[in-house]
Short mmCIF file of all heavy atoms in Angstrom, two decimals:
data_model
loop_
_atom_site.label_atom_id
_atom_site.label_comp_id
_atom_site.label_asym_id
_atom_site.label_seq_id
_atom_site.Cartn_x
_atom_site.Cartn_y
_atom_site.Cartn_z
N VAL A 15 -57.32 -5.24 -29.81
CA VAL A 15 -57.43 -4.70 -31.16
C VAL A 15 -56.02 -4.63 -31.79
O VAL A 15 -55.10 -4.08 -31.18
CB VAL A 15 -58.04 -3.19 -31.11
CG1 VAL A 15 -58.12 -2.66 -32.57
CG2 VAL A 15 -59.40 -3.25 -30.47
N ALA A 16 -55.95 -5.20 -32.97
CA ALA A 16 -54.63 -5.24 -33.67
C ALA A 16 -54.75 -4.61 -35.03
O ALA A 16 -55.79 -4.66 -35.68
CB ALA A 16 -54.20 -6.71 -33.79
N LEU A 17 -53.66 -4.07 -35.47
CA LEU A 17 -53.48 -3.61 -36.86
C LEU A 17 -52.31 -4.36 -37.49
O LEU A 17 -51.21 -4.29 -36.89
CB LEU A 17 -53.27 -2.11 -36.92
CG LEU A 17 -52.76 -1.57 -38.26
CD1 LEU A 17 -53.77 -1.78 -39.38
CD2 LEU A 17 -52.43 -0.07 -38.14
N VAL A 18 -52.52 -5.01 -38.56
CA VAL A 18 -51.43 -5.61 -39.32
C VAL A 18 -51.30 -4.79 -40.62
O VAL A 18 -52.10 -4.92 -41.54
CB VAL A 18 -51.70 -7.09 -39.63
CG1 VAL A 18 -50.52 -7.64 -40.48
CG2 VAL A 18 -51.81 -7.87 -38.33
N TYR A 41 -57.45 -5.28 -37.88
CA TYR A 41 -57.51 -4.41 -39.06
C TYR A 41 -56.35 -4.80 -39.97
O TYR A 41 -55.19 -4.90 -39.54
CB TYR A 41 -57.38 -2.94 -38.66
CG TYR A 41 -58.52 -2.33 -37.96
CD1 TYR A 41 -58.64 -2.45 -36.58
CD2 TYR A 41 -59.49 -1.63 -38.64
CE1 TYR A 41 -59.73 -1.91 -35.89
CE2 TYR A 41 -60.59 -1.10 -38.03
CZ TYR A 41 -60.71 -1.21 -36.62
OH TYR A 41 -61.82 -0.67 -35.96
N THR A 43 -54.40 -3.87 -43.41
CA THR A 43 -54.23 -2.77 -44.45
C THR A 43 -53.20 -3.31 -45.50
O THR A 43 -52.31 -4.13 -45.25
CB THR A 43 -53.69 -1.53 -43.86
OG1 THR A 43 -52.45 -1.70 -43.25
CG2 THR A 43 -54.71 -0.98 -42.77
N VAL A 75 -61.26 -6.61 -40.53
CA VAL A 75 -61.73 -5.80 -41.62
C VAL A 75 -60.53 -5.34 -42.42
O VAL A 75 -59.44 -5.08 -41.93
CB VAL A 75 -62.50 -4.55 -41.09
CG1 VAL A 75 -61.61 -3.62 -40.30
CG2 VAL A 75 -63.14 -3.80 -42.25
N ILE A 77 -58.81 -2.62 -45.02
CA ILE A 77 -58.89 -1.23 -45.37
C ILE A 77 -57.71 -0.94 -46.32
O ILE A 77 -56.55 -1.15 -45.95
CB ILE A 77 -58.79 -0.29 -44.15
CG1 ILE A 77 -59.85 -0.66 -43.12
CG2 ILE A 77 -58.92 1.10 -44.56
CD1 ILE A 77 -59.73 0.07 -41.82
N VAL A 87 -52.75 7.23 -43.89
CA VAL A 87 -52.45 6.62 -42.58
C VAL A 87 -53.09 7.43 -41.48
O VAL A 87 -53.65 6.82 -40.49
CB VAL A 87 -50.95 6.53 -42.36
CG1 VAL A 87 -50.64 5.81 -41.06
CG2 VAL A 87 -50.28 5.82 -43.53
N ARG A 88 -53.16 8.72 -41.58
CA ARG A 88 -53.88 9.54 -40.61
C ARG A 88 -55.36 9.22 -40.59
O ARG A 88 -55.95 9.03 -39.49
CB ARG A 88 -53.71 11.07 -40.93
CG ARG A 88 -54.35 12.00 -39.93
CD ARG A 88 -54.28 13.46 -40.33
NE ARG A 88 -52.94 13.85 -40.59
CZ ARG A 88 -52.50 14.16 -41.85
NH1 ARG A 88 -53.30 14.13 -42.85
NH2 ARG A 88 -51.24 14.54 -42.02
N ALA A 89 -55.97 9.05 -41.75
CA ALA A 89 -57.37 8.66 -41.78
C ALA A 89 -57.61 7.29 -41.17
O ALA A 89 -58.62 7.07 -40.54
CB ALA A 89 -57.87 8.67 -43.26
N LEU A 90 -56.65 6.35 -41.38
CA LEU A 90 -56.77 5.05 -40.77
C LEU A 90 -56.74 5.20 -39.26
O LEU A 90 -57.58 4.52 -38.57
CB LEU A 90 -55.61 4.17 -41.22
CG LEU A 90 -55.38 2.88 -40.53
CD1 LEU A 90 -56.53 1.93 -40.80
CD2 LEU A 90 -54.01 2.23 -40.89
N ALA A 91 -55.82 5.94 -38.74
CA ALA A 91 -55.78 6.13 -37.33
C ALA A 91 -57.07 6.77 -36.75
O ALA A 91 -57.54 6.31 -35.70
CB ALA A 91 -54.55 7.01 -36.94
N GLU A 92 -57.59 7.69 -37.45
CA GLU A 92 -58.82 8.32 -37.02
C GLU A 92 -59.99 7.33 -37.02
O GLU A 92 -60.82 7.35 -36.15
CB GLU A 92 -59.12 9.51 -37.93
CG GLU A 92 -58.16 10.67 -37.77
CD GLU A 92 -58.37 11.77 -38.76
OE1 GLU A 92 -59.12 11.53 -39.74
OE2 GLU A 92 -57.76 12.85 -38.65
N ARG A 93 -60.01 6.46 -38.02
CA ARG A 93 -61.10 5.46 -38.06
C ARG A 93 -60.94 4.45 -36.92
O ARG A 93 -61.94 4.13 -36.25
CB ARG A 93 -61.03 4.72 -39.37
CG ARG A 93 -62.01 3.55 -39.46
CD ARG A 93 -62.14 2.92 -40.82
NE ARG A 93 -62.95 1.67 -40.76
CZ ARG A 93 -63.33 1.03 -41.82
NH1 ARG A 93 -62.94 1.39 -43.06
NH2 ARG A 93 -64.07 -0.12 -41.68
N ILE A 94 -59.75 3.94 -36.66
CA ILE A 94 -59.55 3.05 -35.48
C ILE A 94 -59.87 3.69 -34.24
O ILE A 94 -60.51 3.09 -33.31
CB ILE A 94 -58.11 2.50 -35.52
CG1 ILE A 94 -57.84 1.61 -36.80
CG2 ILE A 94 -57.90 1.63 -34.23
CD1 ILE A 94 -56.43 1.15 -36.92
N ASP A 95 -59.51 4.93 -34.08
CA ASP A 95 -59.83 5.72 -32.85
C ASP A 95 -61.33 5.80 -32.71
O ASP A 95 -61.85 5.54 -31.58
CB ASP A 95 -59.23 7.13 -32.98
CG ASP A 95 -59.38 7.91 -31.71
OD1 ASP A 95 -59.70 7.31 -30.63
OD2 ASP A 95 -59.09 9.11 -31.74
N ALA A 96 -62.03 6.15 -33.72
CA ALA A 96 -63.45 6.27 -33.64
C ALA A 96 -64.16 4.96 -33.31
O ALA A 96 -65.17 4.89 -32.64
CB ALA A 96 -64.06 6.86 -34.94
N GLU A 97 -63.69 3.90 -33.91
CA GLU A 97 -64.33 2.57 -33.77
C GLU A 97 -63.93 1.80 -32.55
O GLU A 97 -64.69 1.03 -31.95
CB GLU A 97 -64.07 1.73 -35.00
CG GLU A 97 -64.65 2.30 -36.30
CD GLU A 97 -64.35 1.47 -37.51
OE1 GLU A 97 -63.55 0.48 -37.41
OE2 GLU A 97 -64.91 1.75 -38.60
N GLN A 98 -62.62 2.01 -32.12
CA GLN A 98 -62.13 1.20 -31.00
C GLN A 98 -61.62 1.99 -29.85
O GLN A 98 -61.43 1.46 -28.73
CB GLN A 98 -60.95 0.29 -31.54
CG GLN A 98 -61.33 -0.50 -32.74
CD GLN A 98 -62.31 -1.61 -32.42
OE1 GLN A 98 -62.51 -1.95 -31.30
NE2 GLN A 98 -62.91 -2.19 -33.46
N GLY A 99 -61.23 3.27 -30.03
CA GLY A 99 -60.76 4.08 -28.96
C GLY A 99 -59.29 3.83 -28.59
O GLY A 99 -58.77 4.40 -27.62
N GLY A 100 -58.67 3.02 -29.34
CA GLY A 100 -57.26 2.67 -29.03
C GLY A 100 -56.81 1.47 -29.78
O GLY A 100 -57.53 0.90 -30.56
N LEU A 101 -55.53 1.11 -29.56
CA LEU A 101 -54.91 -0.04 -30.30
C LEU A 101 -54.02 -0.76 -29.32
O LEU A 101 -53.29 -0.16 -28.52
CB LEU A 101 -54.07 0.56 -31.45
CG LEU A 101 -53.47 -0.48 -32.47
CD1 LEU A 101 -54.60 -1.19 -33.24
CD2 LEU A 101 -52.52 0.30 -33.43
N ASP A 102 -54.06 -2.10 -29.38
CA ASP A 102 -53.21 -2.96 -28.48
C ASP A 102 -52.04 -3.51 -29.17
O ASP A 102 -50.95 -3.69 -28.50
CB ASP A 102 -54.11 -4.08 -27.93
CG ASP A 102 -55.26 -3.67 -27.13
OD1 ASP A 102 -55.07 -3.13 -26.01
OD2 ASP A 102 -56.43 -3.81 -27.62
N LEU A 104 -49.65 -3.43 -32.82
CA LEU A 104 -49.36 -2.99 -34.21
C LEU A 104 -48.25 -3.86 -34.79
O LEU A 104 -47.17 -3.91 -34.23
CB LEU A 104 -48.87 -1.53 -34.15
CG LEU A 104 -48.25 -0.96 -35.45
CD1 LEU A 104 -49.28 -0.94 -36.57
CD2 LEU A 104 -47.72 0.43 -35.22
N LEU A 147 -49.93 5.88 -35.69
CA LEU A 147 -50.65 4.82 -34.92
C LEU A 147 -50.19 4.66 -33.50
O LEU A 147 -50.96 4.25 -32.63
CB LEU A 147 -50.49 3.50 -35.67
CG LEU A 147 -51.52 3.18 -36.69
CD1 LEU A 147 -52.93 3.19 -36.19
CD2 LEU A 147 -51.42 4.08 -37.89
N LEU A 150 -52.33 5.92 -30.53
CA LEU A 150 -53.45 5.05 -30.14
C LEU A 150 -52.93 3.91 -29.24
O LEU A 150 -53.62 3.50 -28.31
CB LEU A 150 -54.13 4.45 -31.38
CG LEU A 150 -54.77 5.42 -32.32
CD1 LEU A 150 -55.52 4.64 -33.43
CD2 LEU A 150 -55.71 6.38 -31.66
N ARG A 153 -52.28 4.55 -25.34
CA ARG A 153 -53.39 4.76 -24.43
C ARG A 153 -53.69 3.51 -23.61
O ARG A 153 -54.38 3.63 -22.56
CB ARG A 153 -54.68 5.04 -25.27
CG ARG A 153 -54.64 6.31 -26.01
CD ARG A 153 -55.93 6.50 -26.81
NE ARG A 153 -55.90 7.72 -27.65
CZ ARG A 153 -56.87 8.03 -28.54
NH1 ARG A 153 -57.90 7.18 -28.61
NH2 ARG A 153 -56.78 9.10 -29.23
N ARG A 154 -53.20 2.31 -24.06
CA ARG A 154 -53.55 1.11 -23.38
C ARG A 154 -52.28 0.45 -22.80
O ARG A 154 -51.27 0.36 -23.50
CB ARG A 154 -54.29 0.19 -24.29
CG ARG A 154 -55.55 0.71 -24.81
CD ARG A 154 -56.29 -0.26 -25.77
NE ARG A 154 -57.61 0.27 -26.20
CZ ARG A 154 -58.40 -0.33 -26.97
NH1 ARG A 154 -58.10 -1.56 -27.45
NH2 ARG A 154 -59.60 0.14 -27.36
#
Side-chain angles (χ1 to χ4, degrees):
V15 179
L17 165 63
V18 178
Y41 289 86
T43 63
V75 63
I77 306 174
V87 184
R88 183 186 305 112
L90 169 67
E92 291 172 350
R93 174 171 172 174
I94 295 174
D95 187 14
E97 294 178 355
Q98 307 291 344
L101 186 66
D102 299 288
L104 169 61
L147 272 302
L150 298 184
R153 293 179 185 173
R154 299 180 176 181

